[in-house]
């Protein structure tokens, strides 16, 4: 399976997603600050993957602490958590992972553990977050395969694949699950301007798996839906509000509106760690605005005239009424989402207890 991110001795290693598909190079982070920078600069991206990166960064940074007293160690731990939380605002998996690390720290402190014991505990928690994410993606794939016809053309936007998770993927997990179930799948990958996650990353990882993939520019989706057969759309998510409104890569909303117009079911695939019941609806989801240079330049070449105003919101919100179902590791949840998503967590709690 694709090595998106791993802990190796005293480093966190990740494939540099800014360089794919031209170069397959790995970035080795030796400090928590380097991990935070890697998240901010998109060396690693995708909601579940940045949650895993933050957890590993916290384990790495605290693991290297020279503090001997628990008070000084705690101060360092919380400073590193803040560093991670300041990287990207939209994907809730980041904050979910930081909270998990804080809970683990709190339990260790309450049990009166030594600094070394707490370091071990944080290492184990980061590894658990990584491994659970792979397991969740596989379960999403198995549930999602059920909505894919035996012969299917599936459109996806951005990259919600192995590269965006600890492995296997969410939206691409559904595609992989369908292929593993013996279905014949062909994929339309939206290029996903401006960062080109679809053209560069989705196409790269699907082709590695031998899954037929056609890359289209974002503005082709409507015409192709009108003229060719598309069986379903499946995308990932960065944050799903309690009512089902879903933040995902900019352009997702456009695809959802087009899918509704053409009678194509539009599915979201995401683990429970992406669902944020504390956010009542999409209007409360913070949307990251990234550097204008991502829009004005391509590989160092200027595309737009100097002086043009630029917008670069990295995400948009798809209202819940456009979503046919939310595919999670606990099954597929459908409208009304306010009730069904609450049930998803209740069933997870029952399984965990
Ligand atoms: O800006 P990115 O590349 O981090 O945005 C990624 C997406 O929007 C993905 O679709 C989402 O995080 C789900 S990844 C399983």
């Amino acid at each position: 399976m694709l090595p998106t991110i791993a802990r190796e001795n005293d480093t966190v290693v990740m494939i540099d997603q800014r360089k794919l598909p031209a170069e397959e190079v790995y970035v080795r982070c030796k400090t928590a600050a380097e991990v935070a920078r890697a998240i901010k600069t998109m060396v690693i991206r995708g909601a579940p993957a940045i949650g895993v990166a933050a957890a590993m960064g916290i384990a790495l940074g605290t693991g290297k602490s020279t503090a001997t007293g628990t008070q000084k160690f705690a101060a360092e731990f919380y400073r590193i958590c803040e560093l991670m939380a300041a990287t990207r605002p939209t994907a809730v998996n980041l904050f979910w992972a930081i909270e998990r690390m804080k809970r683990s720290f709190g339990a260790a402190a309450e049990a009166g553990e030594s600094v070394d014991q707490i370091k071990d505990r944080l290492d184990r928690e980061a590894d658990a977050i990584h491994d659970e994410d792979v397991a969740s993606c596989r379960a999403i794939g198995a549930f999602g395969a059920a909505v894919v016809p035996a012969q299917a053309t599936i459109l996806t936007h951005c990259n919600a694949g192995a590269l965006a998770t600890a492995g296997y993927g969410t939206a691409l997990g559904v595609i992989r699950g369908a292929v593993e179930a013996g279905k014949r799948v062909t994929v339309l990958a939206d290029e996903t301007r401006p960062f080109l996650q679809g053209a560069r990353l989705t196409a790269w990882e699907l082709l590695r798996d031998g899954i037929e993939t056609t890359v289209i520019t974002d503005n082709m989706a409507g015409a192709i839906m009108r003229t060719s057969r598309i069986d379903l759309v499946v995308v990932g998510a960065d944050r799903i509000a309690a009512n089902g409104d879903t933040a995902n890569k900019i352009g997702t909303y456009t695809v959802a509106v087009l899918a509704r117009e053409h009678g194509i079911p539009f599915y979201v695939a995401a683990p429970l760690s992406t669902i944020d019941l504390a956010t009542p609806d999409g209007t409360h989801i913070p949307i990251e605005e990234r550097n204008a240079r991502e829009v004005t330049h391509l590989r160092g070449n200027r595309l737009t005239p100097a002086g043009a105003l630029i917008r670069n919101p990295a995400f948009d919100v798809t209202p819940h009424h456009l979503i046919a179902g939310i595919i999670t590791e606990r099954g597929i949840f459908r409208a009304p989402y306010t009730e069904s998503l609450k049930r998803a967590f209740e069933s997870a709690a029952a399984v965990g207890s």
Side-chain angles (χ1 to χ4, degrees):
M1 202 167 63
L2 251 178
T4 309
I5 181 165
R7 291 191 325 119
E8 267 178 28
N9 305 322
D10 59 350
T11 56
V12 173
V13 187
M14 40 187 106
I15 193 163
D16 190 342
Q17 301 195 26
R18 300 165 307 179
K19 304 260 167 71
L20 287 171
E23 289 173 65
E24 241 175 87
V25 291
Y26 288 83
V27 169
R28 294 182 173 275
C29 299
K30 292 198 165 58
T31 64
E34 285 177 15
V35 174
R37 195 164 167 69
I39 296 171
K40 215 177 170 73
T41 59
M42 312 269 278
V43 170
I44 188 159
R45 32 65 50 203
I50 65 178
V52 172
M56 287 187 174
I58 292 167
L60 176 74
T62 49
K64 290 193 173 175
S65 167
T66 53
T68 46
T70 42
Q71 242 179 341
K72 187 157 179 260
F73 184 65
E76 277 186 44
F77 170 81
Y78 285 107
R79 185 190 56 76
I80 293 171
C81 289
E82 275 171 37
L83 190 70
M84 295 301 161
T87 53
R88 297 192 70 191
T90 304
V92 77
N93 307 62
L94 177 76
F95 306 98
W96 170 88
I98 294 169
E99 273 316 303
R100 252 183 85 159
M101 295 301 277
K102 283 184 181 169
R103 272 204 306 280
S104 181
F105 185 94
E110 204 167 298
E113 290 183 6
S114 69
V115 166
D116 282 343
Q117 285 172 318
I118 301 176
K119 285 180 180 177
D120 283 346
R121 200 195 261 253
L122 293 175
D123 276 345
R124 288 196 304 273
E125 190 68 4
D127 289 342
I129 289 172
H130 175 280
D131 296 350
E132 286 169 28
D133 187 58
V134 178
S136 293
C137 287
R138 287 198 176 273
I140 287 169
F143 283 118
V147 302
V148 177
Q151 281 220 1
T153 301
I154 303 179
L155 185 140
T156 189
H157 189 76
C158 192
N159 171 266
L163 290 165
T165 59
Y168 201 74
T170 56
L172 300 195
V174 170
I175 290 166
R176 290 191 165 101
V179 170
E180 282 169 22
K183 304 189 176 185
R184 285 190 46 195
V185 177
T186 183
V187 177
L188 285 170
D190 278 352
E191 122 184 284
T192 318
R193 274 277 292 159
F195 205 72
L196 306 177
Q197 289 94 331
R200 297 188 302 106
L201 308 176
T202 293
W204 182 75
E205 65 165 270
L206 288 179
L207 291 177
R208 265 176 67 120
D209 277 6
I211 298 172
E212 186 180 81
T213 305
T214 305
V215 175
I216 60 171
T217 64
D218 300 327
N219 51 0
M220 293 175 188
I224 294 178
M225 284 182 186
R226 198 175 162 84
T227 54
S228 319
R229 184 177 172 83
I230 296 180
D231 296 282
L232 68 141
V233 175
V234 61
V235 298
D238 288 86
R239 189 184 299 226
I240 300 171
N243 71 342
D245 289 353
T246 294
N248 191 48
K249 180 52 54 192
I250 190 74
T252 302
Y253 169 57
T254 316
V255 175
V257 171
L258 284 170
R260 171 57 55 92
E261 169 69 14
H262 295 91
I264 300 167
F266 176 95
Y267 285 96
V268 170
L272 294 193
S273 54
T274 306
I275 300 173
D276 179 14
L277 294 186
T279 295
D281 61 55
T283 62
H284 293 83
I285 300 177
I287 300 293
E288 176 183 12
E289 183 91 24
R290 290 188 63 84
N291 197 307
R293 202 180 155 85
E294 290 179 356
V295 175
T296 57
H297 287 71
L298 194 62
R299 301 266 173 256
N301 295 317
R302 185 173 256 291
L303 301 172
T304 59
L309 300 176
I310 302 296
R311 288 289 316 272
N312 189 15
F315 303 97
D316 59 26
V317 174
T318 298
H320 57 90
H321 69 267
L322 296 176
I323 300 171
I326 298 177
I327 306 166
T328 76
E329 70 273 35
R330 290 266 164 254
I332 304 178
F333 295 90
R334 300 192 190 262
Y337 291 106
T338 309
E339 282 88 62
S340 64
L341 294 182
K342 220 186 286 163
R343 271 204 316 277
F345 282 93
E346 284 160 9
S347 72
V351 169
S353 61

